[in-house]
């Protein structure tokens, strides 16, 4: 028993922002961005929302798969940038698609979201809880980055990718997943802080002075940003230690891919394509080198799309699928890695 990808879809915002345009907005250069990351442009949402893009990508994937909305019994969305805290993006997609028989929920595994979604779908299939799943990665990261921070805002883009997957007896799926919460701080974005009449009354400078004098500790202290009473409702943005993330990716991804291949009893040479999370061309080159595989086996679209977190693997899959480069029976690898830290690698037969 395993998983087969029946159809893929993707949607990108209309507006394309080039590195040259960013040069006009901040102290950066096309040369810096391209040489450090490979990224030349990205799509940025203006009127599009995370849900709208996710619905569009899902509709295309369902059409390609040739399935009706009622056939979907599971909708999983990987996202860190949904339009609402609740209802989930998955439930909003369910409503838009009229997929009335589905169980729908979001997961937060950042750039590994699509891989985590695939793992959950597999578990549902194996336990007999579902037959057909819609797995979506959808992000509007442009609203999470600080457009005054040139070290992060140039890296990301917006978009959504989707895949309809089905339980089969003939396919194959071997997945490796991992998490390391101890290094969560290297790539993080705070949610809105607790800001009620009670916290404002409690968190005074005198309170902190008293607490530290008495050697007390309390969980709220760790979560409270630079305290000044007024800034409790200020938005927070994505923060990243780029070099740490780079080291994590280059160390972890080849290992996870090798573990997944070993579970499947397949050699890297037998793989047609490696679909890696599109964070940075130098990470992809390093992984290819460690696996001893040519770059031709590693499709990329980061040059045109930037890093779209959970959406990057399904969008790339759809782009290659649309070019009709995948044949039934091809063995492929997908791998995602990101905030958490989280990572996942899967081997499947197309
Ligand atoms: N334009 C021009 N200069 C810049 C820019 C920019 N956009 N951003 C940073 N700089 C400057 C810095 O200020 C610094 O200047 P200084 O030497 O005068 O202090 C200099 O460039 C070098 O900065 P570093 O942060 O050391 O640059 P680095 O070579 O590490 O490259 C990068 C940064 C591209 C982020 C790199 O660390 C990387 O590829 N990391 C991988 C992380 C990644 O891809 N994350 C994506 C999100 S995470 C994920 O999807 C898993």
């Amino acid at each position: 028993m395993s998983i087969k990808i029946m159809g893929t879809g993707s949607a990108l915002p209309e507006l394309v922002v080039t590195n040259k345009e960013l040069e006009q907005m901040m102290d950066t250069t096309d040369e810096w961005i391209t040489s450090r990351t490979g990224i030349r442009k990205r799509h940025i949402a203006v009127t599009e929302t995370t849900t709208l893009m996710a619905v569009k990508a899902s509709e295309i994937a369902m059409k390609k798969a040739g399935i009706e909305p009622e056939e979907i019994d599971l909708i999983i969305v990987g996202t860190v940038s949904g339009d609402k805290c609740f209802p989930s993006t998955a439930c909003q997609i369910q409503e838009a698609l009229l997929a009335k028989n589905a169980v729908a929920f979001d997961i937060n595994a950042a750039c590994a979201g699509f891989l985590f979604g695939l793992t959950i779908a597999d578990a549902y299939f194996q336990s007999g809880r579902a037959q057909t799943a819609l797995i979506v990665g959808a992000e509007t990261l442009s609203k999470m980055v600080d457009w005054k921070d040139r070290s992060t805002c140039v890296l990301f883009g917006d978009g959504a990718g989707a895949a309809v997957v089905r339980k089969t007896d003939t396919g194959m799926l071997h997945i490796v997943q991992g998490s390391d919460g101890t290094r969560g701080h290297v790539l993080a974005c705070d949610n809105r802080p607790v800001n009620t009449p009670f916290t404002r009354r409690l968190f005074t400078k005198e309170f902190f002075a008293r607490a530290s004098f008495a050697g007390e500790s309390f969980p709220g202290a760790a979560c409270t940003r630079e305290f000044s009473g007024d800034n409790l409702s200020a938005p927070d943005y994505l923060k990243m230690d780029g070099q740490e993330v780079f080291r994590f990716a280059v160390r972890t991804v080849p290992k996870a891919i090798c573990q997944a291949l070993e579970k499947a009893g397949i050699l890297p040479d037998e793989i047609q394509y490696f679909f890696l999370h599109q964070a940075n061309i130098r990470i992809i080159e390093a992984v290819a080198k460690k696996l001893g595989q040519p770059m031709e086996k590693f499709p990329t679209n980061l040059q045109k799309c930037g890093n779209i977190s959970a959406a990057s693997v399904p969008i790339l899959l759809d782009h290659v699928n649309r070019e009709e480069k995948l044949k039934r029976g091809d063995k492929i690898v997908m791998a995602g890695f990101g905030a958490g830290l989280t990572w996942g690698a899967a081997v499947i037969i197309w």
Side-chain angles (χ1 to χ4, degrees):
M1 182 167 65
S2 191
I3 265 183
K4 196 148 210 112
I5 296 184
M6 310 298 295
T8 61
S10 62
L12 294 166
E14 217 173 291
L15 179 72
V16 174
V17 177
T18 63
N19 291 349
K20 285 275 172 209
E21 284 169 82
L22 294 181
E23 278 183 6
Q24 311 301 314
M25 293 167 58
M26 62 191 78
D27 182 16
T28 190
T29 60
D30 176 37
E31 200 281 323
W32 192 97
I33 303 170
T34 311
S35 63
R36 294 284 212 293
T37 69
I39 298 164
R40 292 181 183 279
K41 42 185 146 172
R42 71 286 291 144
H43 292 251
I44 299 290
V46 180
T47 54
E48 300 87 352
T49 64
T50 301
T51 306
L52 276 177
M53 294 187 288
V55 169
K56 200 165 160 194
S58 302
E59 284 171 343
I60 298 168
M62 282 168 56
K63 198 165 169 205
K64 293 259 180 67
I67 62 153
E68 296 301 322
E70 303 81 41
E71 292 178 68
I72 299 172
D73 37 33
L74 181 62
I75 301 174
I76 304 173
V77 180
T79 186
V80 294
S81 53
D83 306 318
K84 298 174 193 285
C85 291
F86 46 82
S88 66
T89 306
C91 283
Q92 294 176 71
I93 294 174
Q94 177 188 28
E95 183 194 18
L97 298 180
L98 305 174
K100 59 181 185 190
N101 297 320
V103 169
F105 55 87
D106 291 357
I107 52 166
N108 177 343
C111 310
F114 186 75
L115 271 297
F116 275 43
L118 208 57
T119 315
I120 298 167
D122 181 49
Y124 268 69
F125 291 168
Q126 291 205 34
S127 66
R129 285 167 189 261
Q131 303 279 334
T132 307
L134 174 66
I135 306 175
V136 185
E139 303 283 12
T140 311
L141 291 166
S142 58
K143 68 187 178 192
M144 320 268 303
V145 296
D146 180 354
W147 285 93
K148 293 195 189 82
D149 175 9
R150 64 178 183 171
S151 69
T152 52
C153 71
V154 302
L155 305 174
F156 297 95
D158 302 330
V164 173
V165 302
R166 198 163 249 180
K167 180 174 167 177
T168 73
D169 292 324
T170 54
M172 174 210 281
L173 176 74
H174 290 281
I175 281 197
V176 169
Q177 265 183 303
S179 309
D180 178 5
T182 63
R183 287 190 292 155
H185 56 277
V186 304
L187 183 52
C189 184
D190 282 355
N191 207 333
R192 73 173 83 165
V194 175
N195 182 15
T196 67
F198 311 104
T199 51
R200 266 173 262 144
R201 202 166 59 194
L202 180 67
F203 291 155
T204 59
K205 281 187 176 146
E206 292 72 31
F207 175 83
F208 280 107
R210 255 202 330 274
S212 66
F213 178 74
E216 291 170 23
S217 70
F218 58 98
C223 304
T224 310
R225 281 183 271 139
E226 194 62 24
F227 176 75
S228 86
D230 296 338
N231 67 359
L232 278 175
S233 59
D236 201 10
Y237 296 110
L238 177 155
K239 293 187 185 68
M240 178 178 74
D241 180 339
Q243 292 181 4
E244 267 302 308
V245 174
F246 195 97
R247 274 192 285 275
F248 149 68
V250 169
R251 226 180 279 139
T252 313
V253 178
K255 211 192 279 178
I257 291 176
C258 286
Q259 285 167 349
L261 287 170
E262 207 176 298
K263 272 172 116 181
I266 289 176
L267 294 170
D269 287 353
E270 296 175 61
I271 298 297
Q272 190 72 22
Y273 288 117
F274 295 84
F275 293 92
L276 263 53
H277 168 48
Q278 301 289 291
N280 185 311
I281 194 71
R282 292 186 301 141
I283 293 176
I284 297 172
E285 285 166 353
V287 174
K289 197 168 164 205
K290 280 200 176 177
L291 294 172
Q293 296 296 304
M295 272 304 279
E296 294 75 61
K297 283 191 176 186
F298 292 75
T300 57
N301 62 7
L302 61 84
Q303 298 82 351
K304 292 187 224 158
C305 298
N307 177 350
I308 321 181
S309 190
S312 103
V313 171
I315 291 175
L316 181 65
L317 200 61
D318 182 55
H319 286 178
V320 173
N321 191 20
R322 257 196 268 160
E323 289 170 20
E324 299 186 353
K325 287 185 176 163
L326 285 160
K327 297 187 302 295
R328 284 290 168 206
D330 282 350
K331 297 181 181 88
I332 64 166
V333 162
M334 294 177 277
F337 51 94
L341 299 172
T342 53
W343 61 93
V347 185
I348 64 160
I349 294 182
W350 184 253

